[in-house]
Every structure is written in C-alpha cells, then in structure tokens.
Amino acid sequence: MRGLRPLWLALAVWGAVHPMYWFVTYLSQNDWSFGALIDAWYVNASTTGLTWDLTIAAVTLTLWVLAEVAMRRNWTGLLAIPATFCIGVSCGLPLYLYLRAKPVG
C-alpha cells in the first residue's frame, strides 16, 4: 500500500486542480455567482443524477473516514472531509488513501 502513496497524492492534486479549473471558469463567466453554479447542478435529470451520485459518495466517504479514524487514531485522515466537501470526492478520496497509507504510530 505504501508504494501507492505517490499515486494517491498525484490523484488528489489532479482531483483538486482539474475540477476547480472548470468551477472557476464557470464562475468567472457568470459574475462569480455561486447560486448560478448550484442551479447548474440541477439543470436537467442528468446533472441532478450526477449531483446526487457525488453527494452520496461524499457522505459515504465521510462515514468511512470517521469510522477508520476512530478505530486507527489516524487523526490526519480527517483532512479528507473538508477536502471532499470543499473541493470534491475526486480530491477527498485519493487524499484519504494517501493519508491512510502512511504508517500510523
């Protein structure tokens, strides 16, 4: 698992930068309106389904992180929760895998 740490970190960075590029592009084209961004997530059945898919994945990841942190006492794993909800699952999941692969203790 430790051999994968660089890959998890690279995916976390990619998962932060790539989606954020598109969010910033959208926001800059729409007067930095977060309301418009959220409205776009529900513009049709396809985007609504994707929004719910990612929301359920984010909640599931959060519960997994909390359960494992309670069991393993790897407190740095909690950093994956704000990364998931402030950036996205594409950053939060590989970040957690990166932090989880670190030896504890």
Side-chain angles (χ1 to χ4, degrees):
M1 182 85 136
R2 286 186 203 141
L4 292 173
R5 281 193 90 213
L7 177 61
W8 301 142
L9 183 59
L11 288 170
V13 170
W14 183 24
V17 173
H18 197 178
M20 199 56 61
Y21 168 80
W22 293 105
F23 288 143
V24 169
T25 299
Y26 180 87
L27 288 167
S28 69
Q29 293 170 351
N30 291 278
D31 297 323
W32 298 95
S33 170
F34 285 95
L37 178 64
I38 293 169
D39 288 343
W41 296 344
Y42 299 98
V43 73
N44 61 43
S46 176
T47 58
T48 299
L50 185 59
T51 298
W52 278 108
D53 179 65
L54 292 171
T55 300
I56 293 165
V59 169
T60 303
L61 175 59
T62 298
L63 293 174
W64 179 37
V65 168
L66 292 172
E68 283 217 327
V69 164
M71 193 171 39
R72 299 176 83 219
R73 302 289 190 240
N74 182 8
W75 304 110
T76 59
L78 293 172
L79 294 172
I81 295 172
T84 298
F85 285 97
C86 295
I87 300 170
V89 176
S90 63
C91 176
L93 176 58
L95 176 63
Y96 182 68
L97 293 173
Y98 171 77
L99 296 171
R100 186 180 187 276
K102 177 183 165 199
V104 178

